[in-house]
Amino acid sequence: AGCLSQTFATSNLTVNPNPTITVNSGTICVGQNFTINPNGANTYTIQGGSAVINPPINANYTVIGTNTITGCVSQAFATSSLIVNPNPIITVNSGAICAGQNFTINPNGANTYTIQGGNAVVSPPSNTSYTVIGTNTVTGCRSQAFATSNLTVNPNPIITVNNGAICVGQNFTI
């Protein structure tokens, strides 16, 4: 019929922003857990992992977020970078001493050491084993396995000698 409406109808459109995601990064030692803590949305998807991770080597995890009220999804990924430092591997010497002597335990592989059951210089009365753990003071990583120093303590000989009596000019055999 060619008729036009006398009034306009108005459509209101709300444009909701997409969430902007941020995420933490960090450094751990092999065997430790790291928790990814994203921010900026209500729910998150961590690609390549979950919120708590334990990778054996350096790794990156990307995160996207969703605003569950508006349904908007982040347009850009946030990346959590994780550096995984190795744990020191400790070696230590073993040896044998005579009873009453000292033995020096010489560990290698870290910066600082804890010798369980003794100090660096020991003098045990019998065969003894000492376990050693080490820490890398730069990374804070600690050895996961103990190194063992085995010490053999040999008894000192017990000497007896004969006594006797001789006359002047005679020989005596000791």
Side-chain angles (χ1 to χ4, degrees):
C3 299
L4 296 175
S5 64
Q6 295 293 315
T7 59
F8 289 97
T10 304
S11 173
N12 293 318
L13 179 62
T14 302
V15 179
N16 293 309
N18 293 319
T20 301
I21 307 302
T22 60
V23 67
N24 61 325
S25 293
T27 302
I28 61 170
C29 300
V30 169
Q32 293 180 332
N33 290 333
F34 180 79
T35 301
I36 297 173
N37 292 313
N39 290 300
N42 304 97
T43 62
Y44 305 95
T45 301
I46 300 170
Q47 298 179 340
S50 61
V52 178
I53 53 176
N54 182 344
I57 59 173
N58 296 349
N60 291 318
Y61 298 89
T62 55
V63 180
I64 57 172
T66 303
N67 182 326
T68 56
I69 296 168
T70 64
C72 296
V73 178
S74 59
Q75 295 290 310
F77 290 100
T79 301
S80 176
S81 297
L82 186 60
I83 296 171
V84 181
N85 290 312
N87 294 316
I89 298 172
I90 306 304
T91 60
V92 68
N93 61 326
S94 293
I97 60 171
C98 295
Q101 291 181 331
N102 291 334
F103 180 79
T104 301
I105 299 171
N106 292 313
N108 290 296
N111 304 100
T112 62
Y113 304 95
T114 301
I115 300 170
Q116 297 180 347
N119 298 311
V121 178
V122 293
S123 181
S126 61
N127 296 349
T128 306
S129 293
Y130 298 94
T131 56
V132 180
I133 55 174
T135 302
N136 180 326
T137 56
V138 174
T139 64
C141 295
R142 207 172 162 163
S143 58
Q144 289 186 318
F146 290 99
T148 302
S149 175
N150 296 306
L151 184 58
T152 301
V153 179
N154 296 309
N156 292 319
I158 298 173
I159 306 301
T160 59
V161 66
N162 59 331
N163 294 314
I166 60 171
C167 296
V168 172
Q170 293 180 329
N171 293 329
F172 180 80
T173 302
I174 299 175

